[in-house]
Amino acid sequence: MKYLANPWRPAGLPPQSGLAEGQITVDDYLVLKLLNLCPAHAATPLVGVPELAETLGIGSLFIKDERGRMGLGSFKALGAAFSIAKTAYEKAGDALADPQVASQALTGQVFVTASAGNHGLSVAAGAKVFGARSVIYLAETVPSGFAQRLRDKGADVVVEGADYEASMAAAAKAAQDNGWRLLSDSTWEADTSGKDVMEGYLALSAEMFAQYDAENDAPPTHIYLQAGVGGLAAAVAASLRQHWGDDVQVTVVEPTAAPALQESIRAGKPVETHGPASNMGRLDCKEPSHLALKALARDADGFLTLEDSDVAEKIKQLEPFGLQTSPSGGAGFAGVVADAAQLGPQARVLAILSEGAADD
């Protein structure tokens, strides 16, 4: 376990850091308005777990449970679905509220991406709602069962590349060659095309704030956010600062094998990290999203890395409460357990269960 206090909080990284310009726009109204056009959209629950909080020696513990999100099993259902809905809205406007208009709004358009998991499902489902086509590139290491899940959602699947980075390069080339729209869940220097995907995650934040405030007289004191490239963590942290202010301690949790955000914060610029494969497959990202890094440099208080075996052991504490998850989905909670002794009995803690038990 390694912790790094954020030396850039709250001013953010310096201009010479080489980060692309742009910011996460906190517009919950637009996000929710457009996601409500997707038939499967509905709020996910916020679960209080007082018995587990007592076991850990903290004052309270609430978990935002994303396992049922839009029938796709993960928070990532929000990102691409919002981005595609926003594209449809720009074309059809408020007429999009008519299901017949919505179903044909993007006929002829093709969205392409690479995926190691749930992002691809969101692209496939969102494209289908608005009449578009989706093409999902998978690395050779992705299980064949996941490819079939994508096909069942109407996507065309292409297996190409030895790893995620190679499949993303292939998807980007296909987009350029065919005039398709690349829909990534990350951002790079001078390319913030994944910004809409990150903004889609604000729906989770809006729900969580309303649910937590309805149950509690005071805001949380601590929130733990797992991160791969950092999109979810950055979106939640940005909206959290607007809603609850600066007193909440925000800790970002990554695998020891992929500390892309922690090492980039340490370096003061985006860096590529190297390490073995992690059992936190959704978080096993060796390079950060540039826009997410920029936002977290401003909004996160610290960055925590955890070993694979440690996370796998700690998330077992969720099982008696019906909150089974994968190491990727429970890494934020594992961070709570790791820090519980120093948090103490007055701590009001919030975490996100980002996906179900199957990490395939």
Side-chain angles (χ1 to χ4, degrees):
M1 182 173 77
K2 184 187 297 183
Y3 179 81
L4 174 68
N6 183 4
W8 307 108
R9 165 95 178 110
L13 289 166
Q16 65 270 26
S17 63
L19 285 171
E21 290 303 314
Q23 63 180 358
I24 303 169
T25 305
V26 182
D27 187 349
D28 296 341
Y29 172 77
L30 178 63
V31 172
L32 292 172
K33 174 182 177 179
L34 297 186
L35 282 171
N36 282 332
L37 298 172
C38 300
H41 177 65
T44 57
L46 182 73
V47 181
V49 199
E51 300 94 336
L52 188 49
E54 184 176 0
T55 298
L56 295 174
I58 57 178
S60 65
L61 174 65
F62 282 83
I63 294 177
K64 180 65 167 167
D65 183 1
E66 290 294 295
R67 296 175 300 166
R69 178 66 72 179
M70 296 172 72
L72 300 181
S74 158
F75 77 95
K76 285 203 170 184
L78 294 167
F82 169 70
S83 182
I84 294 170
K86 186 175 179 180
T87 302
Y89 185 75
E90 289 168 351
K91 183 174 181 181
D94 289 336
L96 209 61
D98 182 338
Q100 187 171 353
V101 173
S103 67
Q104 303 175 48
L106 298 178
T107 298
Q109 294 200 34
V110 180
F111 293 89
V112 60
T113 193
S115 179
N118 296 311
H119 175 64
L121 288 172
S122 185
V123 173
K128 186 175 182 179
V129 167
F130 296 105
R133 179 183 162 213
S134 60
V135 180
I136 314 298
Y137 278 73
L138 301 179
E140 296 162 0
T141 54
V142 175
S144 58
F146 180 71
Q148 189 55 51
R149 288 180 67 192
L150 289 167
R151 294 187 182 101
D152 291 344
K153 293 293 180 184
D156 295 329
V157 176
V158 180
V159 178
E160 185 171 340
D163 53 26
Y164 171 77
E165 287 74 19
S167 62
M168 177 54 76
K173 184 177 186 302
Q176 185 174 21
D177 291 348
N178 297 289
W180 298 342
R181 179 174 170 187
L182 182 65
L183 194 57
S184 173
D185 56 355
S186 189
T187 62
W188 296 273
E189 181 66 27
D191 177 7
T192 58
S193 56
K195 177 173 176 283
D196 287 348
V197 172
M198 294 170 65
E199 289 181 355
Y201 303 150
L202 295 173
L204 182 160
S205 297
E207 294 170 9
M208 185 170 68
F209 299 151
Q211 292 164 332
Y212 189 94
D213 291 344
E215 294 288 334
N216 298 275
D217 296 328
T221 57
H222 300 80
I223 183 167
Y224 285 74
L225 301 168
Q226 58 267 45
V229 297
L232 172 66
V236 172
S239 53
L240 181 152
R241 292 302 179 203
Q242 184 179 76
H243 186 78
W244 281 321
D246 291 333
D247 292 337
V248 183
Q249 292 291 303
V250 177
T251 301
V252 177
V253 182
E254 298 176 280
T256 298
L261 291 162
Q262 185 178 109
E263 292 306 314
S264 295
I265 288 291
R266 192 186 307 278
K269 61 182 181 180
V271 299
E272 182 179 357
T273 59
H274 302 276
S278 170
N279 69 353
M280 291 170 265
R282 317 290 193 219
L283 311 184
D284 191 9
C285 303
K286 310 304 187 187
E287 183 179 356
S289 164
H290 288 201
L291 181 55
L293 174 62
K294 186 173 184 179
L296 289 168
R298 181 192 63 215
D299 294 323
D301 294 290
F303 297 80
L304 177 68
T305 59
L306 294 177
E307 296 287 344
D308 285 13
S309 58
D310 198 20
V311 172
E313 183 63 30
K314 285 177 167 51
I315 63 174
K316 292 179 181 177
Q317 296 187 49
L318 293 167
E319 294 177 4
F321 305 96
L323 296 170
Q324 292 86 351
T325 187
S326 70
S328 298
F333 169 76
V336 177
V337 179
D339 282 354
Q342 68 187 49
L343 294 178
Q346 302 305 313
R348 302 182 297 274
V349 185
L350 197 54
I352 296 172
L353 206 64
S354 60
E355 68 175 24
D359 197 1
D360 58 1

